[in-house]
Amino acid sequence: MEKIVNVLVVTFGILMSFVLYRLLLKRLSKGSVNQALFCTLYSLDKNPAEGEVEFYFITPVAMNVVFCIWQKDQKMLEIRNEEFSQGGHIVRFDTNELEDGEYFFGIETTEQKTIKRFNIKNS
């Protein structure tokens, strides 16, 4: 009888450890980022850029995306602010609108802000 009680106690301990481990994992993943809602922004093929450039990004689902150009921490231009369907998108921009120098381009959604650096050299 004592052996049966010992086996039950060990089994109960293992089951409780498993349940507590699962609860811990669930609690730790509560604030995690859902990567399925993030857009992918690609770098420019040609850097420094001149003339018309094509910025490319992919949206995993239909969502509102704001496409901007910054210089340091200052937003210079908001090129697009609209709902984009799921899939790949090209945003065209004429770099002659800005002076030569270092800039950042990027996207903002409710879930993310992604930026990449590029240089403009038109002259």
Side-chain angles (χ1 to χ4, degrees), residues 59-111:
T59 57
V61 295
M63 65 174 59
N64 191 68
V65 176
V66 181
F67 196 98
C68 299
I69 294 185
W70 294 268
Q71 187 172 35
K72 298 184 182 174
D73 292 334
Q74 181 183 3
K75 187 184 286 190
M76 300 295 291
L77 292 170
E78 185 175 293
I79 299 173
R80 305 271 291 272
N81 183 352
E82 62 187 73
E83 179 90 12
F84 285 90
S85 61
Q86 177 183 3
H89 304 280
I90 294 174
V91 175
R92 289 179 176 82
F93 175 70
D94 185 4
T95 62
N96 290 312
E97 293 182 32
L98 298 172
E99 295 179 10
D100 290 357
E102 181 179 77
Y103 295 90
F104 298 89
F105 67 93
I107 55 177
E108 292 179 295
T109 69
T110 56
E111 301 293 325

